[in-house]
Amino acid sequence: MGETLQADPVASPAAVVLEELGSDGDRGLSAEEAARRLAEYGPNELRGTPPVPRWRRFIAQFNSPLIYLLLVAIVISAVAWAMDDSHGEPVPVDAIVIALIVLLNAVMGYLQESKAADAVAALQQMTKAHSIVLRDGKRIDVESTELVPGDILVLGEGDEVGADGRLIHSSALRIAEASLTGESEPVEKDTEPLEGEVALGDRTNMVHKGTAVTQGVGRAVITHTGMSTEMGAIATMLDSTDAEDSPLTKEINHLGKVLGIGVIIIAAIVMATAIWMSPNRDASSVIAALILAVSLAVAAVPEGLAAILTVVLSLGVQRMARSNAIVKDLNSVETLGSASVIASDKTGTLTRNEMTIQQVVTASGQIEVSGVGYSPEGGVTESGKPLDQKVLHEAQVVLRGGSIANDASLDEKDGEWTIQGDPTEAAFQVAAHKIDGVLADIKAYERLGEVPFTSARKMMSVVGKLPEQGTVLYSKGAPDVLLGNCSTELVDDQQVDLTEERRQQILKQTEELAGQAFRTLAVAFRPLSGMDELGDEFDEDDEQDLCWAGVAAMIDPPRGEAADSIAEAHRAGIRVLMITGDHPATAARIASDLGIVEQGAVAVTGAEIDDMDDEAFDAALREHSVYARVAPKHKMRIVDTLQAQGEIVAMTGDGVNDAPALKTADIGVAMGITGTEVTKEAAQMVLADDNFATIVGAVRQGRLVFDNIRKFLRFLLSSNMGEVFTVFGGTVLAGFLGLRVDGALVAPLLATQILWINLLTDSAPALAMGIDPAVDDVMDRKPRPSDQRVISTTMWLRILWVGLVMGAITLGTLDWFLPGGLIEGGDSVDVARTAAFTTLVLAQLFNAFCSRSFSASAFHGAFSNKWLWGAVVLAVVLQFLVVEVPILQGAFGTATLNLEHWLFCVAAASMVLWLEEIRKLIVRLQHRQNADE
């Protein structure tokens, strides 16, 4: 919190703010007063989300309509067992097995989400920030959490600002505020009051928590701490932002409801039919009908669906984690695969956040500087040709002067290059490594005096000695300002007079560079006979009669891998938007360099967004892909409008200002290295390497996971439909099939047999399909529409078709061996039912191969999934044991089958494969015909 200020600190003189906060600009607070205020206002930290107790996280795993359905099945099975006086089993086997499956699913989900949460927590663990403050007139180092309103914060180059404050002293102070405003370039700060309503990015007399000093020194009186800071205000916005369920979560919940309603209706019909067909409608017949209805319920519910879904998503999460994408919620894996728009921040996400000189313009020409970032790798050329010696000499002077009139430093450690100070100054240091004849002079230069940079002057100068050139004054600053202090221009190694025509030509060149989104800094110099030529001291009056050397053009370059990733996203039908707080020209230039937009496209600004009504903004958002000078409210509006247009939005960002939009988006993606704590908490996925390419890789993985989810859904649901049609058809058509013995209805399958089928086929084969290799390039197609269900109408028709086929061949097998019915058989009820039971198991195993693709033949890449073959072989072996081992025969109500029985079962079950191959052939021919048309 902060002290209540009557006056606006932005508009009020610093002395007034100090007085209201009861602080002294020279001595700060006393230790006792600071302790009192810390106790009153609390630590200087953002309010985090209270940790969810472990027991509640575990209970949350049961919060699914599908799980509710299984819990109901457990209760019904247990009640039916208790009501059965004969107690065929000593314990309620059905209820126990289903309960174990539900429990196993909950444990798996809990462990995987806990592992993901631990990974995110590890990313958020950073060294505790420290700040320098004045206490009792002394500078002391305190943890930033101990800062209080009224503290005098001492700021220096490289410091992180620990709280919001009003500047009371500033000398060449520049602060990087990208994490708060999205502005990539450091902001010049001063102490003057500002009039009127001032936007956050323009409050030049304020410093804010979470930003960093890049140049100069200053002091500020802290006005706000903790949740009262600008960072805290954005964090508060998250409290009113609701997170959306993922499309997969919605679909599975919908599936659970549909299955629940369907099970109730069908089970009621079967139970009523069984009671009606019973010769004695007494309590025992009601119990028998109830057990049959429960069997049908067990058949209809894919018990393994929730567990398999958790496993497949978990495996996807683990693969993503190995690729530096930490997914906090399992269902977010599928959401990524469905993303149709990636709305990305620019600074540090699409760009390197490393200012780089790319051009140097001098009197004799223009050179290009290769290489990007702070690694001093690259060289210089003139339009791709070897350098003319005149241009080379002039460029050397520009880079030498810019590196000497400079307070930044470039350091290398363990192969990694880092900077201290202003990024624009560091750009000169890097470029100096790329041109011969400069580094030695920079290292040898002995600085004797300095006139520092200020926002009013827009230039800085240094004076010192070079071993071979003697005393030299170097100046660096804004081109228009520095040009006014120059009387001559360097041409080769000569100084020639600057004419008015040449001045206008230089200004035009500078404007052209600015139009290409370059930031420009000019360099000038003046040789001196000695320090005595400057008089008593070196000051602004000596920055005259300079010789113009040239202009360096720099830019925060795009990440090289980002362009390839954007191209792949476009190939996959995914639209990429750039949303940044940076200058419109810079945003448009970077976007065109990356391939987000065509050359010449313009950026829409936040001010323009404010002037648009909903209809106009909707149209603009469909047309434009670059947005600049935007505030958090604009990002929220962009995401909301995209979602209203039916898009599934992945929003990336690293700054605090991105957090509300990340939470609103279908999936928020935070940067793990540069991202703030608030941003990581709001996001569903964190990038450990801050690499945009990792996002596209995660989208690829998400699409593969989604494809595999659809595969095992086709398999599980069609297989369960086969069981439903078998039980339902066997009950309704019992008279035709010979399933009535002494007037009593005989169940076509026993409850334990149905449960065994589900355990056998809903486990290993379904899991193997969940990790099936990609049949084709998943990035070579458009995202699925947001209104398209995971299980489409076409997919439901295929599920019902295969279920009918399996039900028909299972009942046909039963009738083939059973005495009576449409076909007169000669085997006992137990043998006939065992043959039908085995046929249904084998039919589902054939269905596993059919379900790998909706249209491709099962023989296409049939051996690419070794796990599926292993699961099928295991299932066949286990089924053989259940049928042939005496102890298992008693448990599952089976009887021994001879070779003729087995061959018939295999032949009958294979009908699923052959009929599906005919259907797929028809589908492929139709697709080919439509393509030709």
Side-chain angles (χ1 to χ4, degrees):
M1 298 179 63
E3 290 279 358
T4 302
L5 292 170
Q6 298 299 319
D8 179 4
V10 178
S12 303
V16 173
V17 179
L18 280 167
E19 183 179 354
E20 286 203 32
L21 288 169
S23 186
D24 186 316
D26 295 322
R27 294 187 55 81
L29 300 175
S30 66
E32 293 77 10
E33 178 63 15
R36 186 194 68 78
R37 295 190 184 190
L38 183 61
E40 180 179 356
Y41 297 111
N44 174 37
E45 58 189 11
L46 300 183
R47 181 176 61 245
T49 304
V52 180
R54 292 185 177 183
W55 66 268
R56 187 172 294 174
R57 284 164 50 196
F58 181 73
I59 294 298
Q61 304 301 319
F62 298 92
N63 187 21
S64 165
L66 193 61
I67 298 299
Y68 301 157
L69 193 58
L70 291 173
L71 294 176
V72 171
I74 292 171
V75 174
I76 293 176
S77 298
V79 171
W81 174 84
M83 294 176 62
D84 185 6
D85 294 335
S86 63
H87 285 308
E89 297 90 17
V91 293
V93 176
D94 296 354
I96 292 174
V97 174
I98 298 174
L100 289 174
I101 291 173
V102 171
L103 183 62
L104 177 62
N105 171 74
V107 170
M108 290 174 62
Y110 171 80
L111 291 177
Q112 183 56 46
E113 291 191 6
S114 295
K115 184 177 180 181
D118 291 342
V120 173
L123 284 174
Q124 294 175 340
Q125 288 299 320
M126 299 179 183
T127 303
K128 289 186 177 180
H130 285 247
S131 298
I132 303 296
V133 296
L134 290 178
R135 297 266 174 93
D136 295 316
K138 299 178 180 179
R139 293 189 180 197
I140 64 171
D141 186 326
V142 300
E143 288 186 7
S144 294
T145 55
E146 298 178 7
L147 296 176
V148 297
D151 261 331
I152 303 301
L153 189 62
V154 180
L155 300 172
E157 204 167 276
D159 289 346
E160 180 178 333
V161 180
D164 288 6
R166 170 66 160 86
L167 282 169
I168 61 176
H169 171 72
S170 173
S171 176
L173 183 65
R174 305 183 76 192
I175 294 183
E177 297 184 334
S179 65
L180 191 64
T181 67
E183 172 61 63
S184 62
E185 295 184 3
V187 179
E188 300 170 4
K189 297 290 184 176
D190 57 40
T191 61
E192 294 301 313
L194 302 173
E195 296 182 358
E197 186 175 342
V198 184
L200 179 61
D202 298 323
R203 296 175 188 173
T204 54
N205 59 6
M206 298 289 293
V207 294
H208 299 289
K209 179 179 175 65
T211 61
V213 179
T214 63
Q215 177 181 304
V217 295
R219 290 185 183 182
V221 57
I222 294 177
T223 56
H224 300 87
T225 60
M227 294 300 292
S228 294
T229 61
E230 291 296 335
M231 184 181 287
I234 294 178
T236 301
M237 291 175 62
L238 298 178
D239 295 338
S240 59
T241 307
D242 295 327
E244 288 284 326
D245 282 339
S246 76
L248 184 60
T249 299
K250 296 175 183 177
E251 184 71 13
I252 295 303
N253 289 342
H254 175 75
L255 176 61
K257 294 174 183 177
V258 170
L259 288 177
I261 294 172
V263 165
I264 292 173
I265 293 174
I266 296 176
I269 294 174
V270 168
M271 184 173 178
T273 303
I275 294 175
W276 178 74
M277 294 178 64
S278 177
N280 301 314
R281 298 171 187 173
D282 52 14
S284 61
S285 63
V286 172
I287 292 174
L290 179 60
I291 293 174
L292 187 61
V294 170
S295 301
L296 182 61
V298 172
V301 179
E303 290 90 348
L305 175 57
I308 299 300
L309 183 62
T310 300
V311 171
V312 171
L313 290 174
S314 298
L315 293 174
V317 165
Q318 291 171 7
R319 285 194 293 268
M320 289 183 180
R322 288 193 290 269
S323 300
N324 295 314
I326 310 298
V327 179
K328 296 163 62 177
D329 177 72
L330 293 180
N331 291 322
S332 298
V333 176
E334 183 274 334
T335 310
L336 263 174
S338 306
S340 57
V341 174
I342 299 177
S344 175
D345 188 28
K346 177 184 76 70
T347 305
T349 308
L350 291 170
T351 64
R352 300 172 63 93
N353 199 19
E354 298 176 341
M355 273 293 179
T356 304
I357 291 177
Q358 292 189 340
Q359 295 183 23
V360 178
V361 181
T362 65
S364 301
Q366 174 179 309
I367 69 167
E368 287 78 39
V369 184
S370 62
V372 294
Y374 296 141
S375 177
E377 298 175 356
V380 294
T381 59
E382 184 180 3
S383 301
K385 301 178 296 183
L387 281 173
D388 178 87
Q389 288 303 307
K390 291 193 298 183
V391 180
L392 176 61
H393 175 72
E394 293 162 4
Q396 287 173 331
V397 175
V398 172
L399 295 181
R400 179 189 299 116
S403 299
I404 288 175
N406 194 307
D407 292 320
S409 63
L410 177 68
D411 303 302
E412 186 268 337
K413 183 178 180 180
D414 298 329
E416 293 291 329
W417 291 86
T418 58
I419 67 161
Q420 293 293 328
D422 191 304
T424 58
E425 293 199 331
F428 276 96
Q429 302 271 4
V430 176
H433 284 72
K434 303 176 184 179
I435 188 168
D436 295 333
V438 174
L439 278 180
D441 288 344
I442 296 172
K443 295 177 180 178
Y445 187 79
E446 180 185 357
R447 183 182 295 194
L448 301 175
E450 174 185 1
V451 181
F453 176 92
T454 67
S455 57
R457 288 169 15 85
K458 294 185 178 179
M459 61 179 291
M460 72 171 292
S461 298
V462 298
V463 63
K465 292 183 178 180
L466 281 170
E468 296 182 3
Q469 301 179 37
T471 306
V472 183
L473 183 158
Y474 285 106
S475 296
K476 178 177 92 275
D480 55 338
V481 173
L482 197 58
L483 188 62
N485 291 13
C486 294
S487 58
T488 60
E489 179 181 17
L490 181 68
V491 179
D492 195 6
D493 57 356
Q494 302 295 317
Q495 297 185 37
V496 300
D497 290 339
L498 260 176
T499 64
E500 184 60 29
E501 180 182 359
R502 177 58 183 151
R503 290 178 187 273
Q504 294 303 317
Q505 186 180 7
I506 290 173
L507 290 176
K508 182 179 179 181
Q509 289 175 327
T510 304
E511 291 174 0
E512 290 175 351
L513 290 172
Q516 299 172 36
F518 284 112
R519 180 175 183 185
T520 56
L521 282 177
V523 175
F525 68 100
R526 176 156 68 100
L528 301 171
S529 59
M531 290 298 292
D532 55 346
E533 186 179 334
L534 301 176
D536 295 335
E537 61 180 21
F538 178 45
D539 56 27
E540 297 179 29
D541 293 336
D542 297 306
E543 298 174 318
Q544 304 298 327
D545 293 325
L546 302 177
C547 179
W548 177 269
V551 174
M554 62 190 71
I555 198 168
D556 179 13
R559 291 177 178 266
E561 64 273 18
D564 294 336
S565 299
I566 289 169
E568 184 172 14
H570 287 166
R571 182 170 64 87
I574 301 171
R575 185 182 177 197
V576 179
L577 304 184
M578 176 190 287
I579 306 176
T580 178
D582 216 335
H583 191 278
T586 303
R589 160 70 187 278
I590 295 297
S592 63
D593 287 350
L594 288 170
I596 295 176
V597 293
E598 297 292 333
Q599 194 75 31
V602 297
V604 178
T605 66
E608 291 171 336
I609 293 176
D610 288 333
D611 293 336
M612 297 180 188
D613 58 22
D614 290 343
E615 183 177 352
F617 181 64
D618 181 89
L621 190 57
R622 294 178 188 274
E623 181 180 353
H624 297 280
S625 297
V626 186
Y627 299 85
R629 293 295 193 211
V630 295
K633 64 177 182 178
H634 300 132
K635 295 184 180 184
M636 294 277 286
R637 189 179 182 189
I638 289 172
V639 173
D640 288 339
T641 304
L642 285 170
Q643 290 174 328
Q645 292 175 355
E647 307 288 357
I648 295 179
V649 183
M651 170 73 187
T652 75
D654 57 357
V656 177
N657 60 316
D658 296 323
L662 293 191
K663 189 172 181 182
T664 301
D666 296 285
I667 180 162
V669 184
M671 303 298 113
I673 299 173
T674 59
T676 63
E677 184 177 343
V678 173
T679 311
K680 294 173 188 174
E681 186 166 333
Q684 289 82 44
M685 188 175 85
V686 180
L687 300 184
D689 59 358
D690 285 14
N691 194 335
F692 184 85
T694 303
I695 302 169
V696 178
V699 170
R700 174 187 290 275
Q701 192 62 237
R703 287 192 173 190
L704 177 58
V705 168
F706 177 73
D707 278 5
N708 288 345
I709 287 173
R710 296 195 78 184
K711 290 178 185 180
F712 75 69
L713 282 176
R714 277 196 297 265
F715 169 65
L716 287 178
L717 294 177
S718 58
S719 296
N720 282 78
M721 285 301 102
E723 298 165 32
V724 169
F725 287 130
T726 297
V727 176
F728 182 76
T731 303
V732 175
L733 304 176
F736 295 98
L737 299 172
L739 285 175
R740 300 186 67 173
V741 178
D742 298 329
L745 179 66
V746 175
L749 293 172
L750 300 177
T752 51
Q753 292 174 346
I754 294 173
L755 189 59
W756 171 254
I757 295 173
N758 285 357
L759 285 174
L760 199 63
T761 60
D762 289 8
S763 54
L767 179 57
M769 296 185 67
I771 55 176
D772 201 41
V775 177
D776 53 13
D777 186 357
V778 296
M779 299 297 279
D780 197 25
R781 61 173 183 257
K782 294 181 179 180
R784 68 183 180 91
S786 59
D787 58 353
Q788 178 183 324
R789 309 200 73 93
V790 176
I791 307 177
S792 62
T793 301
T794 302
M795 186 169 165
W796 270 119
L797 291 174
R798 188 268 178 192
I799 288 169
L800 294 174
W801 152 254
V802 174
L804 281 170
V805 170
M806 284 194 286
I809 61 176
T810 301
L811 292 177
T813 300
L814 187 67
D815 186 38
W816 183 273
F817 293 109
L818 194 68
L822 298 176
I823 304 172
E824 184 63 38
D827 291 293
S828 67
V829 171
D830 287 341
V831 170
R833 187 157 49 196
T834 300
F837 168 43
T838 301
T839 297
L840 186 54
V841 168
L842 297 177
Q844 293 192 11
L845 296 179
F846 278 114
N847 185 36
F849 294 99
C850 298
S851 299
R852 293 185 65 219
S853 173
F854 177 77
S855 58
S857 169
F859 297 100
H860 176 69
F863 296 97
S864 61
N865 190 341
K866 296 179 180 179
W867 291 105
L868 180 57
W869 277 99
V872 168
V873 171
L874 176 64
V876 171
V877 171
L878 292 176
Q879 178 63 19
F880 179 82
L881 295 176
V882 163
V883 171
E884 303 297 339
V885 176
I887 190 173
L888 296 178
Q889 289 176 340
F892 290 94
T894 57
T896 300
L897 299 180
N898 59 34
L899 181 59
E900 179 184 346
H901 291 133
W902 277 104
L903 292 177
F904 184 92
C905 292
V906 172
S910 69
M911 290 300 298
V912 173
L913 174 64
W914 305 123
L915 291 175
E916 266 291 272
E917 284 297 296
I918 294 173
R919 182 196 64 80
K920 289 181 179 182
L921 177 61
I922 295 173
V923 169
R924 292 196 298 273
L925 291 174
Q926 289 177 339
H927 286 173
R928 193 175 305 165
Q929 182 179 356
N930 293 336
D932 292 339
E933 294 176 355

